[in-house]
Amino acid sequence: MALSCRAHAFSVEALVGRPSKRKLQDTREQEQSELQENEGGEEEEERKNNAAEKNEQLEMPPKTEPSTTALSGSGGGSGNDNQLKSLKEKDIIQVELQGSELWKRFHDIGTEMIITKAGRRMFPSVRVKVKGLEPGKQYSVAMDVVPVDSKRYRYVYHSSQWMVAGNTDHSCMTTRFYVHPDSPCSGETWMRQIISFDRVKLTNNEMDDKGHIILQSMHKYKPRVHVMEQDTRVDLSQIQSLPAEGVKTFSFKETEFTTVTAYQNQQITKLKIDRNPFAKGFRDPGRNRWKQWLISSDF
Amino acid sequence: MALSCRAHAFSVEALVGRPSKRKLQDTREQEQSELQENEGGEEEEERKNNAAEKNEQLEMPPKTEPSTTALSGSGGGSGNDNQLKSLKEKDIIQVELQGSELWKRFHDIGTEMIITKAGRRMFPSVRVKVKGLEPGKQYSVAMDVVPVDSKRYRYVYHSSQWMVAGNTDHSCMTTRFYVHPDSPCSGETWMRQIISFDRVKLTNNEMDDKGHIILQSMHKYKPRVHVMEQDTRVDLSQIQSLPAEGVKTFSFKETEFTTVTAYQNQQITKLKIDRNPFAKGFRDPGRNRWKQWLISSDF
DNA sequence: ACGTTTCCACCTAGGTGCGAAACT
DNA sequence: AGTTTCGCACCTAGGTGGAAACGT
């Protein structure tokens, strides 16, 4: 493996599968506000290649909640609300998405993320706050991106909508895994700071050797955040799959996105330009002023 | 303490003192050059850049040694030569300074490092290769900067020399400690890469809260590299002092420097401008061309 | 047609020494 | 007089989307 100690992205065959909690599908919106989609780590490894049978049609954009928190009980599956409330908050690992307002604005339009051969950052990026860790215990925090379904999508301009255009060819799909550079770190330190995954890069290059997360274009994905107990002395730079135990997984509906190599929906382009500091050059007023400069100055 | 998990610099009261192994002081330089050649089995790969060296008109080009290696026996400091030679190389942690040619060129003039309130990087920066670690074991690698003596210095222009100008007032001296961001990491991974401390910043602000290394201006210092066995589960972000055991410390004579807030020796300035990519704007040819631009163009 | 790649102007972010000003 | 600070022009390094070229 050509990854250096801090390359942070690793192949995880075992995680390829999509979420199989189908009965949550329609209630997912509420879960976002109450408990998000928490996927208990323990039973993740057997989810391999459940083909996505249905879900062929697009869904209506969900209504947005102001802030988003995901809880994790002990076991795995999203426990129910009452049960969770009966536990002390300290005992429950809780992950709160930062910047969820912006995420929701994108989500309402239909978030698109550009992927390139060299690797492209996400905007918005995944940023979370964690609560309920044991202060003295060591944890690692990681992120990956998993398919939402096995469909290929196509953007229909005249209706400004994404339509199913076929099925995924599961050729060389290995899910990579970005370990947050601060890992491992004490629960106290993790909880004191905002955990940002802004350096994560997405690529469509299946041969990528820079440790970026490999995705297929024109597919729907969602990022996931994993909080891992680090009591055993495993070297994260070496492991090939998630530890079976002591892993809590969180995801947020509003962070779902469709991969593209060029933006399809112009509203997305506009919002990106408007909010991403690096795109400031494309904000309107006085654009192309330099051309007039060029005209008026002679060499 | 306001340090985040990866701020990497920590107060270490226990390390405040100046080096006490005085008998090694004068022989250290020989150790450097002798040891780099002995048991010369597998360190041949680093000989690449010698030919590319262009020598400026400055001082005589020093007969450049390709690299500088320091060995560590069992104890804390640099063990003695004979004893080391009797051990197998694999059992000896060995740290080789990268870029020692450049360091030596600065050293021959009298290296100066600028320190600022906001924090200033070092140039050259400390970069090392480590050998002799146990591949599977976990290590952390750190750097600190310790006084060479308790003297205050002054640069005498007409003789181009640094002269003792008084003694240090040991007021608020706490040695800080920069833990390499890859820590902790397996010996295998550490040995596979060049370990660079180029993000280290030096400051003269005793109140610094950004984790930079705090130094006093007009004093002589030397950087040290520490290789720490990480078998115990200590959180480096929390510790206040170096572990007593399992730490090997290395330093290199040619990395000594004098702290300044503005360069004193113009030969140092010239060499910095010549070699530091960020100072390219001060390299001579066509400098100030933009002014003529300004004159010929009218607004 | 449609999707991808490449190059580019335009940004952010931040590391240089300079030189004037300020400090002591 | 010797040091330190600050704003600055000039860099490196790299993240944007546009637009044209390039597949397929």
Side-chain angles (χ1 to χ4, degrees):
Chain A
M1 180 150 47
L3 296 171
S4 80
C5 179
R6 293 287 151 174
H8 299 304
F10 311 98
S11 282
V12 189
E13 328 284 341
L15 291 175
V16 169
R18 60 183 183 81
S20 61
K21 301 181 198 310
R22 193 161 350 277
K23 67 166 185 179
L24 295 179
Q25 196 86 338
D26 48 356
T27 61
R28 188 164 283 162
E29 282 170 60
Q30 278 103 342
E31 286 177 7
Q32 300 297 326
S33 45
E34 310 286 342
L35 10 115
Q36 272 353 300
E37 342 174 354
N38 167 34
E39 313 172 9
E42 276 88 345
E43 66 243 87
E44 276 305 287
E45 64 259 40
E46 212 25 89
R47 298 283 163 79
K48 240 179 203 153
N49 281 328
N50 287 349
E53 307 88 66
K54 46 196 61 180
N55 255 351
E56 49 208 4
Q57 277 313 335
L58 353 133
E59 311 161 53
M60 300 305 290
K63 31 197 135 342
T64 62
E65 300 287 342
S67 122
T68 312
T69 302
L71 297 180
S72 169
S74 54
S78 30
N80 82 51
D81 203 357
N82 297 329
Q83 170 188 345
L84 290 173
K85 275 181 180 160
S86 69
L87 299 170
K88 284 189 308 181
E89 186 179 83
K90 258 197 76 172
D91 298 322
I92 306 170
I93 296 182
Q94 197 174 337
V95 172
E96 177 187 294
L97 178 67
Q98 304 294 292
S100 65
E101 314 250 338
L102 183 55
W103 273 107
K104 280 168 183 161
R105 277 193 67 178
F106 277 102
H107 185 65
D108 288 346
I109 304 170
T111 311
E112 302 175 18
M113 293 289 174
I114 287 190
I115 58 180
T116 66
K117 212 168 123 185
R120 196 74 152 191
R121 286 191 181 177
M122 295 172 61
F123 187 87
S125 58
V126 175
R127 283 156 54 245
V128 296
K129 253 187 183 167
V130 186
K131 294 174 183 171
L133 303 180
E134 293 181 36
K137 203 183 226 174
Q138 294 286 308
Y139 298 88
S140 284
V141 180
M143 191 189 115
D144 63 3
V145 177
V146 291
V148 166
D149 55 34
S150 294
K151 297 299 179 185
R152 189 170 207 286
Y153 286 84
R154 189 167 68 87
Y155 185 72
V156 182
Y157 287 85
H158 61 76
S159 62
S160 297
Q161 275 185 331
W162 286 94
M163 309 285 287
V164 172
N167 288 311
T168 307
D169 55 329
H170 300 76
S171 51
C172 148
M173 285 296 293
T174 72
T175 298
R176 278 187 177 172
F177 201 33
Y178 177 94
V179 179
H180 191 282
D182 287 5
S183 304
C185 198
S186 69
E188 181 188 0
T189 309
W190 283 121
M191 291 189 287
R192 207 164 43 205
Q193 64 191 8
I194 288 178
I195 303 168
S196 176
F197 290 94
D198 56 350
R199 306 272 281 261
V200 170
K201 284 190 176 179
L202 312 181
T203 183
N204 57 347
N205 179 15
E206 294 178 2
M207 303 310 197
D208 176 84
D209 61 349
K210 294 190 288 294
H212 301 153
I213 290 179
I214 301 173
L215 303 177
Q216 291 187 328
S217 188
M218 313 307 270
H219 284 67
K220 289 202 175 178
Y221 293 94
K222 68 172 180 186
R224 301 191 305 180
V225 173
H226 309 277
V227 179
M228 295 171 279
E229 299 176 12
Q230 191 74 9
D231 29 28
T232 57
R233 276 316 300 132
V234 285
D235 185 352
L236 271 177
S237 66
Q238 303 303 330
I239 66 169
Q240 298 282 331
S241 64
L242 272 179
E245 296 182 14
V247 180
K248 305 281 186 249
T249 299
F250 306 87
S251 65
F252 304 87
K253 178 76 175 173
E254 61 265 47
T255 61
E256 283 186 11
F257 60 84
T258 306
T259 47
V260 295
T261 57
Y263 290 127
Q264 306 294 307
N265 188 333
Q266 295 189 358
Q267 298 175 74
I268 291 293
T269 310
K270 190 173 184 316
L271 195 49
K272 297 248 185 181
I273 288 175
D274 213 44
R275 299 305 198 87
N276 189 334
F278 290 109
K280 194 184 249 182
F282 296 97
R283 293 177 196 168
D284 255 339
R287 182 126 165 69
N288 286 348
R289 209 165 14 195
W290 66 275
K291 285 183 181 173
Q292 304 175 4
W293 250 83
L294 212 63
I295 295 169
S296 66
S297 61
D298 45 349
F299 296 77
Chain B
M1 182 153 44
L3 296 172
S4 81
C5 179
R6 293 288 150 173
H8 297 303
F10 310 98
S11 284
V12 188
E13 325 288 338
L15 292 176
V16 169
R18 57 196 177 79
S20 57
K21 299 188 197 309
R22 199 166 338 283
K23 70 169 180 181
L24 292 179
Q25 195 85 336
D26 48 355
T27 61
R28 181 162 292 157
E29 209 167 347
Q30 279 104 343
E31 285 181 355
Q32 305 291 335
S33 45
E34 282 180 30
L35 291 177
Q36 76 190 0
E37 284 146 9
N38 61 15
E39 46 245 300
E42 44 215 32
E43 65 225 76
E44 298 302 330
E45 74 256 30
E46 199 49 33
R47 303 286 161 96
K48 38 182 187 226
N49 287 332
N50 287 354
E53 272 305 320
K54 61 178 63 175
N55 295 312
E56 309 301 330
Q57 73 284 10
L58 298 172
E59 74 291 347
M60 297 306 292
K63 39 197 66 53
T64 54
E65 301 289 342
S67 70
T68 308
T69 304
L71 296 180
S72 171
S74 54
S78 27
N80 90 48
D81 204 357
N82 295 331
Q83 169 188 346
L84 292 174
K85 274 179 180 162
S86 67
L87 299 171
K88 282 189 313 181
E89 184 178 85
K90 255 199 81 172
D91 297 321
I92 306 170
I93 297 182
Q94 196 174 338
V95 172
E96 176 188 294
L97 178 67
Q98 304 295 292
S100 66
E101 320 220 348
L102 184 54
W103 273 108
K104 281 170 183 159
R105 273 190 75 176
F106 277 102
H107 184 65
D108 287 346
I109 306 171
T111 312
E112 302 175 20
M113 292 288 174
I114 286 190
I115 58 179
T116 67
K117 214 167 118 183
R120 196 77 151 189
R121 286 192 180 176
M122 295 172 62
F123 186 87
S125 58
V126 175
R127 282 157 55 245
V128 296
K129 252 188 184 170
V130 186
K131 293 174 183 172
L133 303 179
E134 293 181 35
K137 202 183 225 175
Q138 292 288 306
Y139 298 88
S140 284
V141 179
M143 190 190 115
D144 63 2
V145 177
V146 291
V148 166
D149 54 34
S150 294
K151 298 298 181 184
R152 188 170 207 287
Y153 287 83
R154 161 179 310 182
Y155 185 73
V156 181
Y157 286 85
H158 61 74
S159 63
S160 296
Q161 275 186 329
W162 286 94
M163 310 285 286
V164 172
N167 288 311
T168 307
D169 56 330
H170 300 78
S171 51
C172 149
M173 286 295 294
T174 72
T175 298
R176 280 188 177 171
F177 201 32
Y178 176 94
V179 179
H180 192 282
D182 286 2
S183 304
C185 200
S186 69
E188 181 189 359
T189 310
W190 283 121
M191 291 189 289
R192 205 165 41 205
Q193 62 191 8
I194 288 179
I195 304 168
S196 175
F197 290 95
D198 55 351
R199 304 274 281 261
V200 170
K201 284 190 176 180
L202 311 181
T203 183
N204 57 348
N205 179 15
E206 294 178 2
M207 304 308 197
D208 176 84
D209 61 350
K210 294 191 288 294
H212 300 153
I213 290 179
I214 302 173
L215 303 177
Q216 291 187 327
S217 188
M218 314 307 272
H219 283 67
K220 288 201 174 179
Y221 292 94
K222 67 172 179 187
R224 301 191 306 181
V225 173
H226 308 278
V227 179
M228 295 171 281
E229 297 175 12
Q230 191 75 9
D231 29 26
T232 58
R233 276 313 302 132
V234 286
D235 185 352
L236 272 176
S237 67
Q238 303 301 331
I239 66 168
Q240 299 283 331
S241 62
L242 273 179
E245 297 179 12
V247 180
K248 307 276 187 251
T249 299
F250 305 87
S251 66
F252 304 87
K253 179 75 176 175
E254 62 264 47
T255 61
E256 283 186 11
F257 59 85
T258 306
T259 47
V260 295
T261 56
Y263 290 128
Q264 305 294 306
N265 188 334
Q266 294 188 359
Q267 295 175 77
I268 290 295
T269 310
K270 187 170 189 323
L271 195 49
K272 296 250 185 180
I273 288 174
D274 212 46
R275 298 306 196 88
N276 189 334
F278 289 110
K280 194 185 250 181
F282 296 97
R283 292 176 196 168
D284 257 339
R287 182 129 164 66
N288 287 347
R289 206 164 18 192
W290 65 274
K291 285 183 181 173
Q292 305 176 2
W293 250 82
L294 211 62
I295 294 168
S296 66
S297 62
D298 44 348
F299 294 77

